[in-house]
Amino acid sequence: MCYTIPALVENIKNKSATISYFGERKTAVCELTNIACGDYVYAQGGYIIEKLPPDEAKKILITWEDLFFQLQELDATRAALGSADISSDDILQGILERARQGVIPSQSEAVKLLNLESVASRGLVRKTANYLRQQYHKNSCCVHGILEISNYCVRNCAYCGICASSNVTRYRMSFTEIINAAGEAIDKFGFKSLVLQSGQECGYTIRELAEIVAAIKARFPVLIFVSFGEVGVEGLRQLYQAGARGLLLRFETSNAVLYEKLHPGYNLDSRLEHLKAAYAMGYLIATGGLVGLPGQTEEDLVNDILLTSSLHAEMFSFGPFLPHPASCLAKYPKPLEQDVLGVLALARLMCAEKTKILITTAYETLSSLAREHGLMAGGNSIMINVTPLKYRALYNIYPHRAHENETVALQIRQALAELKALGRGPTDLGS
Ligand code: SAM
């Protein structure tokens, strides 16, 4: 099973290639030296990651030819807005109509959208977000694998179950275990994009982490995102040189005062400097914040979305704060699913064209239908946990994580069935 279909290289100049999926064109960076016009390739996150033998590519494309267009049609039908999709609230109707024409809601309008009380109004915002997602990104949905290589951490984030002061049993996957798990995800299960995640200063030095990235890149065709916390500008450079091309690093909250309260000894500026340095180096940026933090306001959430956009995020990663029973925030409630959905939908309205919006595992933990709801509210990216089962429960950042005990094969089966039912293609197409 593959999570992106082969593309045909139509044009290539310097390191920029035009590739085509059944006639739909996209630009991709080509760092491989053996690619020429007429080749078939896999691309991910805007990077060409692998060349395929033409016969193999054509065989795969034959299986996709009809399905590709059928899924697009189903998605377009489901995402269409009808004559009944009109609000009796004139202000809301105006905001949504303008959003459909590409006008970004102002900050005060955005706050209004987060504060809507009527079920019908909230539903209409989500439908509009889904409409915009379809208009700009068609039915593509990225499927990344995430491998949690260690739960060691030196930080004491107030909400996190694996923070330094927690008494969770610690693990650090060995070099061989990491290579084997990555290899299984890529070779056996077909992932084209992997996130390697851990706590900060996770028991491996930056040099060792870079060796791990380089070893995976040397063995397998894959786009690697790193998510090891604040590794410093030199650390980012070493990881990039080793082959990492994406950084997943949430700023958690754009409210600097709240940030410092929740992250003793750290500040928001340093987090943002990392994200800016990474972007300048050429990393794809995945970032965002927590929704429902104690003390967080709707204005903060709107600022979170604006900040994510200003950081050039190619993927928005927003998920709920889930109280960990052993943390000092244990007594605070988790947000309602509808509030998280409201943020995802607003993010799509405010950044319709630019970005992928991730349906996070934390959000999926809120209800069994959360993934579907998120995908129908502007979301177009999901993650599948490929961490070996024996370590999953130890990556205990919050309780009752969705899919915690599910094998990779089961998660994939479920995800692909859900995507198919919604008309989504597990591809990396779109603008
Ligand atoms: N060390 C890396 C870093 O600093 O980004 C990655 C590991 S950290 C555990 C990954 C993410 O888990 C954080 O960005 C945070 O948003 C999320 N997280 C931690 N505790 C959480 C909780 N109780 N509820 C929801 N998300 C949580």
Side-chain angles (χ1 to χ4, degrees):
M1 173 43 65
C2 60
Y3 301 107
T4 178
I5 57 176
L8 177 67
V9 178
E10 291 193 343
N11 188 11
I12 185 160
K13 201 170 176 197
N14 300 324
K15 283 185 171 178
S16 179
T18 304
I19 57 175
S20 149
Y21 296 90
F22 298 112
E24 277 189 33
R25 295 197 169 86
K26 205 179 161 179
T27 305
V29 178
C30 183
E31 297 181 326
L32 306 181
T33 51
N34 60 341
I35 306 292
C37 280
D39 282 344
Y40 287 93
V41 293
Y42 279 128
Q44 192 68 188
Y47 280 87
I48 291 181
I49 53 165
E50 185 181 9
K51 175 172 163 173
L52 281 96
D55 289 351
E56 190 184 318
K58 284 177 190 161
K59 221 164 109 189
I60 297 168
L61 286 172
I62 286 170
T63 65
W64 267 95
E65 201 163 16
D66 292 335
L67 187 60
F68 182 80
F69 293 105
Q70 281 162 15
L71 289 174
Q72 281 197 341
E73 207 176 303
L74 173 61
D75 177 48
T77 307
R78 294 198 57 158
L81 292 172
S83 52
D85 295 317
I86 288 180
S87 174
S88 54
D89 172 341
D90 289 344
I91 299 178
L92 174 61
Q93 183 60 24
I95 299 171
L96 297 182
E97 262 172 32
R98 285 193 294 281
R100 292 209 295 263
Q101 288 150 20
V103 180
I104 297 172
S106 68
Q107 270 177 279
S108 61
E109 289 174 338
V111 170
K112 175 182 166 75
L113 295 181
L114 289 182
N115 278 323
L116 291 170
E117 277 182 8
S118 107
V119 173
S121 299
R122 287 198 302 261
L124 205 51
V125 173
R126 301 204 286 256
K127 262 192 123 172
T128 307
N130 189 37
Y131 168 85
L132 287 168
R133 187 271 313 152
Q134 194 277 332
Q135 291 289 304
Y136 288 109
H137 303 270
K138 295 217 167 145
N139 69 335
S140 71
C141 182
C142 278
V143 183
H144 301 266
I146 182 163
L147 178 59
E148 295 147 346
I149 65 166
S150 163
N151 68 354
Y152 281 91
C153 191
V154 293
R155 292 184 58 150
N156 264 313
C157 305
Y159 42 79
C160 187
I162 62 163
C163 68
S165 62
S166 132
N167 61 5
V168 66
T169 304
R170 301 287 170 177
Y171 75 90
R172 188 188 79 160
M173 288 174 67
S174 70
F175 181 90
T176 309
E177 282 178 311
I178 296 170
I179 302 300
N180 288 346
E184 185 179 65
I186 299 159
D187 271 356
K188 179 172 169 194
F189 293 114
F191 285 91
K192 306 290 178 207
S193 171
L194 267 193
V195 180
L196 303 180
Q197 191 174 80
S198 70
Q200 188 159 317
E201 292 172 46
C202 64
Y204 279 114
T205 63
I206 299 297
R207 197 176 156 168
E208 288 167 332
L209 290 172
E211 280 167 12
I212 290 167
V213 170
I216 296 173
K217 286 293 292 180
R219 289 167 175 76
F220 311 105
V222 68
L223 177 72
I224 295 185
F225 277 73
V226 286
S227 183
F228 306 134
E230 293 179 36
V231 295
V233 173
E234 185 45 35
L236 285 170
R237 193 166 291 122
Q238 285 183 41
L239 292 166
Y240 191 89
Q241 275 163 5
R245 287 293 175 270
L247 173 71
L248 170 58
L249 183 77
R250 283 181 174 168
F251 54 79
E252 316 292 359
T253 171
S254 60
N255 178 328
V257 176
L258 185 56
Y259 186 95
E260 285 187 35
K261 258 193 210 159
L262 297 172
H263 307 97
Y266 292 88
N267 61 62
L268 180 62
D269 281 347
S270 140
R271 199 87 172 159
L272 299 183
E273 285 317 313
H274 268 78
L275 286 157
K276 288 175 193 166
Y279 180 71
M281 261 176 232
Y283 276 95
L284 298 168
I285 301 295
T287 188
L290 285 162
V291 178
L293 285 166
Q296 189 178 45
T297 64
E298 275 76 21
E299 284 77 7
D300 288 335
L301 289 167
V302 172
N303 287 333
D304 288 356
I305 293 172
L306 291 170
L307 178 58
T308 309
S309 173
S310 75
L311 291 166
H312 310 279
E314 82 108 29
M315 185 160 79
F316 276 40
S317 169
F318 280 82
F321 150 70
L322 297 174
H324 191 286
S327 77
C328 56
L329 300 182
K331 68 175 183 349
Y332 290 93
K334 59 186 174 192
L336 298 174
E337 188 195 343
Q338 67 184 38
D339 294 334
V340 185
L341 269 179
V343 172
L344 299 184
L346 180 62
R348 176 58 71 205
L349 258 56
M350 297 186 81
C351 308
E353 189 177 353
K354 275 198 272 188
T355 189
K356 291 170 192 138
I357 293 180
L358 178 65
I359 306 302
T360 61
T361 307
Y363 165 64
E364 287 187 42
T365 299
L366 291 178
S367 90
S368 58
L369 288 178
R371 181 187 278 166
E372 179 182 335
H373 294 160
L375 289 169
M376 293 303 280
N380 59 347
S381 182
I382 61 174
M383 272 202 197
I384 287 185
N385 196 321
V386 300
T387 309
L389 274 165
K390 66 176 174 175
Y391 295 126
R392 290 251 197 103
L394 299 178
Y395 204 79
N396 176 28
I397 51 182
Y398 50 79
H400 314 300
R401 272 203 302 166
H403 313 297
E404 189 165 86
N405 301 313
E406 294 169 8
T407 61
V408 179
L410 176 63
Q411 290 180 77
I412 291 172
R413 263 204 312 281
Q414 287 171 346
L416 293 184
E418 281 176 63
L419 293 178
K420 199 171 169 192
L422 295 178
R424 305 297 171 85
T427 61
D428 191 25
L429 291 172
S431 56

